[in-house]
Amino acid sequence: MRTYYCGELRSEHIGETVTLYGWVDRRRDHGGVIFLDVRDRSGIVQIVSDPERTPDSYHGAEALRSEYVVKITGRVTSRPEDSLNPKLPTGEVEIYADEIELLNAVRKQLPFQVATAENESVREDLRLKYRYLDLRRDRMSRNLQLRHQVVKAMRRHLEDVGGFIEVETPILTRSTPEGARDYLVPSRVNLGAWYALPQSPQLFKQLLMVSGVDRYYQIARCFRDEDLRADRQPEFTQLDMEMSFMSLEEVIELNEGLVSQIFQSVKGVELPRPFPRLTYAEAMDRYGSDKPDTRFGMELVDVSDLMKDSGFKVFSGAVAAGGIVKVLPIPGGNDAISNVRIKPGGDLFKEASEAGAKGLAYIRVRDNGEIDTIGAIKDNLTEAQKQELLDRTGAQSGHLLLFAAADATTVNKTLDRLRLFVGNELGSIDKDKMNLLWVTDFPMFEWNADEKRLEALHHPFTAPHPDDINDLKTARAQAYDLVLNGTEVGGGSLRIYQREVQEKVFEAIGLSTEEAYNKFGFLLDAFEYGTPPHGGIAYGLDRLVMLLAGEESIRDVIAFPKTQQAGCLLTNAPAGVDEKQLKELQVRSTYTPKS
Ligand code: ASP
């Protein structure tokens, strides 16, 4: 029987005889004595096998190789002074092995070294193909355990403090209102009909409020068939919550308690409360983003009013056409960023043009405080205008001011992108900070230029701000996002629970009552039977754990993730199916592979 996990042993265990199980991380032969690092999910401990003291265990140890599975029985002893390892939690002790039992050997060539010290540069495709080996690695094992701790903290807080109950909702269901592309599953029993996998449990959780569940949560799997990026997966996990009879302030307060509890239990960090808040309008104005990274300054400054009469046509023209001019002030940017990088062909120019900007104007404040402009700006700003720019942006010697002039969306997108790019490059972002921020008062709708109609920014069940109810098209929503270091980790809203309001919202997004009934009729019907005021939120669990783990990809905090091509390299999903299965479903593929 196991007496301890390997990583648990400390000097207080010296003198005990212990039984351990694990994998051989590494084996070293030191002039007759064999040292083994044995690993399990808790960490590593050093085993010593000495031919003179325990010849049987020595012969056992000789046969061992990396990743063999072993059972070790031996005595915990203190390490000699010169082999203490302060970097290892078990570094004060070693186990003198009495018995070493080989439980299973490795029969194939390992695709990569699993050993803790040697595994940082393994190619990701290999790691994903042999994910079971990859998950043995220290870093991945820690990530899985951290994820578990986060979920445990969530459950504990929601159940014990919040009085929430967990309810499961269907995976085989109908389309939900998040608006991404659905994954579809054909029905064999109802030929010709299809289930959609849920993009979120949104409709069911609202129905549960009609049922009087009052406080619901679920660690819910969600599916969205979208193009993938580093922080997206076709299936992902949300902490999904919904509650009745709570005001927006109460929802926010409850969630601050929850998030603080998570940080407290997995990071030991006390978050200052209340969390800071920005309205959507402020966030866009100051950062050009609805999920600003507030770990550093470099806030944007709107100078449209100053530039509307300037002789520089790019600026005055943009304002005349209904656009704006904004500045990104970069302290130290004068030295750090050369002209070639800002002009066509340069990396900053490339960033800007990928955001839709046609070019970047700039002003340098030289070290002696002299202002230097280039190109057309140079002769077209008066001294007074230059001075006013410096005052407004707080620019001092050494600053670089980057300008974008276009429609508001393009300007914000451009400068947001450049702010993050430059902030990273100049090391302005304190990576140890954990900045949480609520963004509130989102607009209800945004304009979908392709379809030439308004669409719900959150989803069409989001309640409008009570003050804006008479002009829905420009109304603010009672919606809130939680942002952590520039990443959206949660989002939710108070919901509409009155039929008249719901109908107006459908009308605003051009959904006829008939279409609305067709899609969401069951929910609208349920709303006729006594619906409590309610609201909720969902957190992206994968993203949250990624940030807490200090990882850059959500794949590193998911046990069996998919690639950017939405495939699983371990199982080779998705894959073809038997003709017989398709026949049963009466589904035929019209796909012809490109030659
Ligand atoms: N269902 C929403 C989402 O997945 C979250 C919510 O409104 O609670 O974004």
Side-chain angles (χ1 to χ4, degrees):
M1 281 291 124
R2 166 156 54 201
T3 48
Y4 291 100
Y5 280 101
C6 300
E8 286 173 349
L9 294 168
R10 300 284 182 277
S11 45
E12 73 211 53
H13 301 111
I14 289 169
E16 283 183 46
T17 294
V18 296
T19 300
L20 311 170
Y21 291 88
W23 285 261
V24 176
D25 196 68
R26 283 197 293 172
R27 195 197 69 157
R28 292 182 307 274
D29 243 311
H30 274 216
V33 180
I34 291 178
F35 291 90
L36 300 172
D37 285 341
V38 173
R39 163 181 20 90
D40 61 22
R41 72 168 200 210
S42 68
I44 279 184
V45 71
Q46 176 161 291
I47 315 288
V48 188
S49 181
D50 184 337
E52 303 203 336
R53 291 168 61 174
T54 50
D56 285 351
S57 91
Y58 183 79
H59 292 310
E62 265 186 327
L64 298 178
R65 299 289 177 271
S66 290
E67 302 313 310
Y68 280 26
V69 186
V70 289
K71 175 184 179 186
I72 311 271
T73 305
R75 269 158 302 119
V76 185
T77 54
S78 64
R79 288 199 190 192
E81 198 74 41
D82 58 352
S83 72
L84 292 174
N85 182 354
K87 285 199 213 114
L88 204 64
T90 59
E92 290 188 357
V93 298
E94 57 194 6
I95 317 292
Y96 262 87
D98 294 317
E99 263 176 68
I100 295 181
E101 190 182 333
L102 171 62
L103 299 177
N104 216 339
V106 172
R107 294 186 180 80
K108 287 186 154 188
Q109 166 110 34
L110 288 169
F112 50 80
Q113 272 297 333
V114 178
T116 304
E118 297 170 28
N119 55 25
E120 284 313 318
S121 58
V122 184
R123 281 189 356 235
E124 197 184 16
D125 56 343
L126 266 188
R127 291 176 46 206
L128 292 177
K129 179 161 185 214
Y130 298 95
R131 189 60 157 182
Y132 42 89
L133 292 180
D134 188 41
L135 294 179
R136 275 189 205 164
R137 301 161 61 212
D138 182 48
R139 168 176 149 211
M140 297 305 288
S141 164
R142 267 188 285 124
N143 286 352
L144 284 189
Q145 294 181 58
L146 176 76
R147 185 179 176 116
H148 165 72
Q149 293 303 333
V150 170
V151 172
K152 187 168 149 188
M154 286 171 167
R155 288 187 191 282
R156 197 182 318 135
H157 189 81
L158 289 175
E159 291 168 15
D160 298 351
V161 182
F164 282 72
I165 65 168
E166 180 161 23
V167 183
E168 288 159 274
T169 54
I171 296 292
L172 294 176
T173 181
R174 291 191 62 150
S175 211
T176 54
E178 274 75 23
R181 201 180 288 111
D182 285 322
Y183 277 100
L184 298 174
V185 179
S187 165
R188 181 186 57 81
V189 179
N190 304 282
L191 287 172
W194 300 73
Y195 302 99
L197 304 184
Q199 293 182 26
S200 85
Q202 186 63 34
L203 302 177
F204 288 106
K205 69 172 173 173
Q206 291 194 242
L207 290 172
L208 288 171
M209 295 302 106
V210 183
S211 309
V213 165
D214 197 77
R215 289 185 178 200
Y216 142 95
Y217 86 95
Q218 182 180 191
I219 307 293
R221 197 66 65 83
C222 306
F223 306 84
R224 297 183 193 178
D225 188 2
E226 293 178 300
D227 293 333
L228 306 184
R229 296 192 305 239
D231 62 351
R232 280 205 193 145
Q233 282 276 299
E235 56 179 301
F236 60 97
T237 306
Q238 288 185 341
L239 164 64
D240 193 43
M241 298 162 56
E242 195 75 11
M243 45 243 135
S244 296
F245 306 115
M246 284 179 87
S247 66
L248 190 142
E249 287 304 322
E250 288 170 312
V251 171
I252 286 195
E253 200 187 304
L254 185 144
N255 278 280
E256 291 190 1
L258 167 70
V259 172
S260 302
Q261 178 57 43
I262 298 168
F263 274 73
Q264 179 19 258
S265 46
V266 307
K267 292 234 123 191
V269 173
E270 271 324 318
L271 293 175
R273 278 163 73 183
F275 298 171
R277 289 191 206 179
L278 283 179
T279 64
Y280 172 88
E282 283 171 313
M284 292 310 278
D285 182 43
R286 289 169 53 188
Y287 299 96
S289 164
D290 60 0
K291 43 178 184 333
D293 189 337
T294 55
R295 286 175 297 175
F296 67 113
M298 291 176 28
E299 292 187 20
L300 314 184
V301 182
D302 192 325
V303 291
S304 310
D305 60 322
L306 189 62
M307 292 303 158
K308 73 178 193 310
D309 306 318
S310 86
F312 186 43
K313 287 283 169 297
V314 175
F315 288 175
S316 52
V319 180
I324 59 172
V325 183
K326 275 171 113 171
V327 188
L328 170 67
I330 308 172
N334 180 42
D335 275 345
I337 297 169
S338 62
N339 289 358
V340 276
R341 298 182 56 194
I342 308 172
K343 291 181 183 166
D347 58 345
L348 293 192
F349 183 89
K350 186 162 166 268
E351 289 294 318
S353 49
E354 277 172 17
K358 300 231 163 54
L360 285 170
Y362 60 95
I363 287 183
R364 294 179 175 281
V365 188
R366 299 290 182 194
D367 290 341
N368 57 11
E370 225 164 82
I371 302 162
D372 204 353
T373 55
I374 57 124
I377 286 197
K378 194 178 183 83
D379 310 316
N380 284 305
L381 290 189
T382 63
E383 279 313 310
Q385 282 169 327
K386 286 184 196 167
Q387 197 50 52
E388 174 79 17
L389 269 174
L390 296 192
D391 292 346
R392 283 214 209 166
T393 54
Q396 291 165 358
S397 296
H399 259 73
L400 172 70
L401 303 180
L402 285 181
F403 292 78
D407 59 280
T409 310
T410 306
V411 167
N412 284 327
K413 224 169 136 187
T414 304
L415 295 185
D416 167 38
R417 195 165 165 143
L418 287 171
R419 178 174 172 269
L420 294 175
F421 187 86
V422 173
N424 265 308
E425 174 185 318
L426 299 187
S428 323
I429 305 178
D430 178 350
K431 304 276 180 196
D432 291 332
K433 273 193 183 162
M434 284 282 171
N435 275 18
L436 282 147
L437 167 77
W438 289 107
V439 178
T440 62
D441 293 308
F442 282 81
M444 282 288 282
F445 307 109
E446 66 185 346
W447 181 247
N448 181 330
D450 294 337
E451 295 177 22
K452 301 224 177 342
R453 64 172 186 94
L454 288 178
E455 71 187 2
L457 195 74
H458 195 59
H459 53 61
F461 302 108
T462 296
H465 199 289
D467 296 346
D468 301 349
I469 202 91
N470 291 325
D471 187 8
L472 265 192
K473 285 194 163 51
T474 57
R476 290 163 298 165
Q478 297 195 68
Y480 30 80
D481 274 1
L482 187 65
V483 176
L484 171 57
N485 295 347
T487 300
E488 182 202 326
V489 290
S493 59
L494 295 192
R495 322 298 184 191
I496 300 168
Y497 63 100
Q498 290 140 319
R499 183 175 155 178
E500 315 76 67
V501 183
Q502 188 65 68
E503 280 173 357
K504 277 195 191 161
V505 168
F506 285 145
E507 193 186 308
I509 57 173
L511 201 63
S512 70
T513 316
E514 200 189 336
E515 282 169 312
Y517 257 89
N518 200 357
K519 282 189 160 169
F520 311 120
F522 58 97
L523 181 72
L524 302 176
D525 277 344
F527 280 0
E528 306 281 326
Y529 293 100
T531 303
H534 61 287
I537 188 166
Y539 293 88
L541 180 68
D542 313 287
R543 277 189 201 173
L544 182 62
V545 176
M546 172 186 88
L547 295 172
L548 288 168
E551 292 289 359
E552 304 214 323
S553 158
I554 58 171
R555 294 190 293 277
D556 286 333
V557 297
I558 296 174
F560 299 104
K562 304 220 169 22
T563 61
Q564 306 262 32
Q565 284 73 42
C568 170
L569 296 178
L570 175 65
T571 62
N572 280 329
V577 293
D578 286 345
E579 202 46 43
K580 183 169 165 275
Q581 287 176 294
L582 289 179
K583 271 210 180 109
E584 264 175 354
L585 296 165
Q586 301 225 9
V587 169
R588 191 179 309 130
S589 174
T590 59
Y591 172 72
T592 40
K594 288 193 195 90
S595 53

